[in-house]
Amino acid sequence: MKSAVETLNPTRVRLSIEVPFEELKDSLDAAYKKINQQVTVKGFRKGKIPARVIDQRFGRGAVLEEAVNDALPKFYTEAVNEAEIDVLGQPEVDITELKDGETLNFTAEVDVRPAIEIPDFSGIEVEVDAVEVTDEDIDKSVEQLRERFASTSPVERAAEDGDVVTIDLEAKVDGEILEDGVASGVSYTIGSGELLEGIDDAVKGLEAGGEATFTSELKGGSAAGKAAEVTVKVTQVAARELPELDDDFAQLASEFDTLEELKADSRKRLENMKQYDQATQAQERVLEKLLELVEVPVPEKLLEDEINTRKHNLEHHQLGQMGLDLEKYLEIQGKTAEEFDAETKEAAVKGIKTQFVLDELVKQEKLNVNQEELTEHLMRRAASSNMSPDQFAQAVVEGGQVPLLVGEVARGKALAVVVEKATVKDTNGEVIDLDDEEEADEATTETPQAEAETTTEAETEKTEG
């Protein structure tokens, strides 16, 4: 076999492959054997039909077609390996010449990973938000904890903001009661915004036994997106009572003996959270700066596949779970279809460029992934996919996607190399040592990985789909 490579553009090549006919012998034998098992010829036992009879009865062309279909993947793979090219996706194959007994010539056009030159990135500088925890932040955190320990008691008065009402609901569309539009004994805190738009105004001022009707657009269910006439009946009004902010509350709501100790712990936790956010922000901004430094051509077919996969995931997974279609989603977001398409393309391009650049850094820095790192990442991905680690691991192994996860971890390590060499300052002008922050966070949270621990969505779909 002979092969030659022609570069069509930075992301696409054409392989020209010549195969002497004698190298097709194994595929020809396999073709005759396969046809033997599929056909019947009077006077011959199944599977024992001579080759010359198959040629006469069914045509030599049918045999050659079967043999070529069998042989093409093998010779294509040999040519790719010989040329040492990193192909992306499936090739477009064209048989240019097939002479029985002489030669098989074909071409294969395929996208390839572009050659990328990583420049010196040690001069990257980014600014991130400063870690500042105010007394107001502490008070808000403690107040949220206090809300969790609130108690309720029935009252004989009209409902007010903050009260917890028990209600019965009935929704009608075009005068017909919806099968899934009736609910009884629903507990609702007025002002929480957790139910239908307009319900707060409807129930405020009602006492137990009172009812009101209002119009609201349904967010889910069989009539999602439609305007419904909703009747709400209040069966109970209960006032919420918050515990006093004192040492007794601290002992009730935490492991601390005093309110001051509880507030000190809240401050520490908020600082850790903001440091985590700061480190994530640093990674994202360093990555953006890195991508600005590197020229990365994007293969058209790969980009098309990535865009289609992102749209499919949004429409059939995320929006489907919320009972929305794309048109309604765009209406809620206040976007046109053209704006959505442009944003999707921009995100897809960034995702592909990120993967290419970080993969090149993995090779350049000779980064490896150990079993402990892979296991930690698998557990993170399992949690984000709402699967147990065992379920996710089984899906990954059965789908042959272990290399995909290894690549994600390796890219995370590559980005860490760049962040380590970058200068990160906060909005106060202070230089941030992210290593110190990650050590401080280790007891409470995992190290942020930003976008590095992702693949293109087209690849991720193969794992989770």
Side-chain angles (χ1 to χ4, degrees), residues 226-240:
K226 294 184 178 180
E229 184 183 83
V230 182
T231 299
V232 55
K233 180 178 181 180
V234 176
T235 59
Q236 179 180 279
V237 178
R240 298 176 75 248

Side-chain angles (χ1 to χ4, degrees), residues 24-32 61-73 75 104:
L24 289 173
K25 183 180 183 307
D26 289 346
S27 293
L28 280 168
D29 291 343
Y32 279 116
V63 178
L64 289 175
E65 182 180 355
E66 184 66 41
V68 169
N69 288 339
D70 175 76
L72 283 179
F75 291 118
L104 164 66

Side-chain angles (χ1 to χ4, degrees), residues 345-363:
K345 181 178 180 179
E346 182 180 356
V349 168
K350 183 181 179 183
I352 293 170
K353 285 186 174 182
T354 297
Q355 186 165 328
F356 283 173
V357 170
L358 295 182
D359 283 346
E360 184 63 29
L361 269 171
V362 169
K363 291 193 293 183

Side-chain angles (χ1 to χ4, degrees), residues 37 50 58 79 129 133 179 183 205 221-222 230 238 244 253 257 275 305 338 352 394 397 400 445:
Q37 300 298 324
F58 306 102
D129 295 336
V133 177
E179 288 186 11
S222 60
V230 182
E244 291 292 328
D257 293 328
Q275 285 174 344
D305 289 345
E338 291 75 17
I352 293 170
Q394 183 178 354
V397 172
T445 185

Side-chain angles (χ1 to χ4, degrees), residues 55-82:
D55 289 345
Q56 291 169 356
R57 290 293 186 91
F58 306 102
R60 173 73 166 174
V63 178
L64 289 175
E65 182 180 355
E66 184 66 41
V68 169
N69 288 339
D70 175 76
L72 283 179
K74 178 183 70 173
F75 291 118
Y76 165 73
T77 301
E78 287 181 13
V80 167
N81 293 337
E82 185 179 286

